[in-house]
Amino acid sequence: MPTWTKRHIVDGFVRLLHMHSYPSITVEMILAQTDVSKTTFYRYFRNKSDVMDAYFQQVYDAAILDEGCRDLEDLFAAILEKARSNPEQYRMFETTGYNSYLQFIYRYTFSMGSRIIETAWKRSLSEAESLHVAFFCAGGSHIVEEFCRGQNYRGLSGRQAAAEIAQMMGDEYHVAIDDAVRAQLREHIRRRDA
C-alpha cells in the first residue's frame, strides 16, 4: 500500500504539471488532485520538492529495472527518450538551488550510477573513479534538461545521444546491467522504499 500511495501522489503531481507551472503548484493542490489527506501526504513526503524528486526516481528506477536495459548506454537512452517525450519535466527545471530538479537528477544519478558500477565491479569506487562518475552525472543532468526543453540536440534521438555519451566513457565503465546486478538494484530500491 505505501508504494501505491506514493505513486498515486506522484501521478497527481505530474497531472498538475500539465496544467500549472511548478512554482504555482502547492501541497494543497496535490492533496485535492489525489484526494489524500494531509497526514497521508506528510507520511511520505516533506514537501512538493520531495514529490518532484520521487517522480525522477520512478523514471530512473523503471529504466534500470527494465529487462531491455543491458548497460549504461541503454540506461542513458531510456532517460533521454523519457525526457524528450515528457515535456512536463520542463516545468520542474524552473526550480533553483540545492533542492532544484537539476541538482536532484545529479545527486540521484551519481548515487545510483556509482551503485551500478560498484555492483558490477564487486568493489567500491576509488576516489578518482568516483570523480569520473560525478563528472558524467553532472554533465548528464544538464543534457537531460536540454533534451527535455528541446533546446539542443534536436537532430539526435535519445539512442544516438546515448551512443555518443557512451563513446566518451572509458571502456572500464561499460558495465553490463545483467540479471545479477538488476536483482541487487531491485533489492536496494525495495529496501529504500519500504
Side-chain angles (χ1 to χ4, degrees), residues 6 11 80 91 115 119 140 186 193:
K6 284 178 77 171
D11 290 345
L80 293 174
R91 293 174 180 233
R115 184 173 295 281
T119 301
R186 187 175 286 115
D193 292 345

Side-chain angles (χ1 to χ4, degrees), residues 21-84:
S21 68
Y22 175 81
S24 70
I25 295 172
T26 64
V27 170
E28 289 72 24
M29 291 169 71
I30 297 169
L31 298 176
Q33 180 71 31
T34 58
D35 199 30
V36 299
S37 71
K38 196 177 267 195
T39 302
T40 299
F41 177 89
Y42 287 112
R43 182 176 304 137
Y44 300 106
F45 301 104
R46 291 174 299 175
N47 51 41
K48 72 177 182 180
S49 179
D50 276 357
V51 181
M52 175 183 67
D53 294 351
Y55 172 69
F56 182 74
Q57 270 185 333
Q58 284 182 8
V59 169
Y60 192 90
D61 293 349
I64 292 172
L65 299 178
D66 186 292
E67 297 296 324
C69 184
R70 299 171 314 249
D71 54 29
L72 292 177
E73 182 177 331
D74 286 343
L75 179 59
F76 300 154
I79 296 300
L80 293 174
E81 289 164 2
K82 183 79 170 176
R84 188 162 277 165

Side-chain angles (χ1 to χ4, degrees), residues 157-171:
S157 69
R159 175 55 65 185
Q160 291 168 321
E164 293 297 324
I165 293 166
Q167 274 188 343
M168 290 184 283
M169 294 170 44
D171 288 340

Side-chain angles (χ1 to χ4, degrees), residues 11 33 35 37 39 43-44 52 54 65 71 77 83 89 94 106 123 125 131 137 141-142 155 159 162 175 179 183 191:
D11 290 345
Q33 180 71 31
D35 199 30
S37 71
T39 302
R43 182 176 304 137
Y44 300 106
M52 175 183 67
L65 299 178
D71 54 29
Q89 288 184 351
E94 296 169 349
Y106 164 70
R123 66 172 179 81
L125 295 175
L131 175 66
C137 291
S141 61
H142 286 279
R159 175 55 65 185
V175 301
D179 291 339
R191 278 185 277 127

